[in-house]
Amino acid sequence: MDNKCSKYEELFVSSDDETLEKHIAECDECKAEQETMDKVSGLLDEVKMHYYSKRRHRMVRLRAACAIVFIMFSIVSLTAVINDDDLMDTLKYGDTLSAEELGFPVDSYGLLMVDE
C-alpha cells in the first residue's frame, strides 16, 4: 500500500510560505514535487523573455504602420487643401459664406428664392 502525501497542492494554494516550507522539509514526496515545480518555473522564466520580445516587436510594427498611415493621410489632405485655389479663396478665417456663394438661387436682395 502506497501512502502518498497529498498535502502539497493544498498547502501551496491555501497556506502561507512558512507552513509550506516546513512541510517540504519534512516530506520527501512534497520536496520532489517542489523541485519539479521549480524546474518548470525556471523554464517558464526562460521562455518568458522570448515571448514578450515577440509581442513587443509586433506592437512596434503596428504603431509604425499606424504612424505611416496617419502621415500619408495628413500629406494627402494638406496637399489637396493647399492646391485647391477655389477652396483657398472662399474659406478664409473670419469670412462667412453667403447663400449665393454656396450655390443657392437668390433674389436681388440676397435672400433665398422660393418658387410658389
Side-chain angles (χ1 to χ4, degrees):
M1 290 205 252
D2 275 345
N3 289 334
K4 289 191 172 185
C5 180
S6 60
K7 290 184 179 181
Y8 181 78
E9 185 177 347
E10 179 185 331
L11 290 173
F12 185 79
V13 172
S14 62
S15 71
D16 59 348
D17 291 337
E18 225 174 88
T19 308
L20 179 63
E21 289 174 9
K22 284 180 188 177
H23 181 71
I24 289 173
E26 296 170 359
C27 180
D28 292 333
E29 293 172 8
C30 292
K31 186 182 289 187
E33 195 159 345
Q34 179 65 31
E35 289 172 0
T36 305
M37 293 292 278
D38 289 340
K39 287 179 186 177
V40 170
S41 179
L43 288 173
L44 287 175
D45 286 340
E46 217 174 288
V47 174
K48 179 172 61 172
M49 292 308 294
H50 178 67
Y51 172 74
Y52 283 126
S53 68
K54 273 187 165 184
R55 190 174 175 193
R56 188 177 313 124
H57 288 307
R58 198 175 313 133
M59 288 301 294
V60 167
R61 286 188 207 131
L62 180 64
R63 287 180 184 157
C66 288
I68 289 170
V69 167
F70 175 73
I71 289 170
M72 293 301 292
F73 177 74
S74 299
I75 289 171
V76 168
S77 60
L78 286 176
T79 304
V81 168
I82 289 171
N83 290 337
D84 190 4
D85 293 333
D86 294 335
L87 184 64
M88 293 299 290
D89 290 338
T90 56
L91 297 177
K92 297 208 183 228
Y93 182 74
D95 287 345
T96 58
L97 297 176
S98 65
E100 187 177 10
E101 290 171 342
L102 289 173
F104 295 115
V106 293
D107 59 4
S108 60
Y109 296 109
L111 301 173
L112 288 176
M113 267 196 320
V114 180
D115 292 331
E116 292 181 43

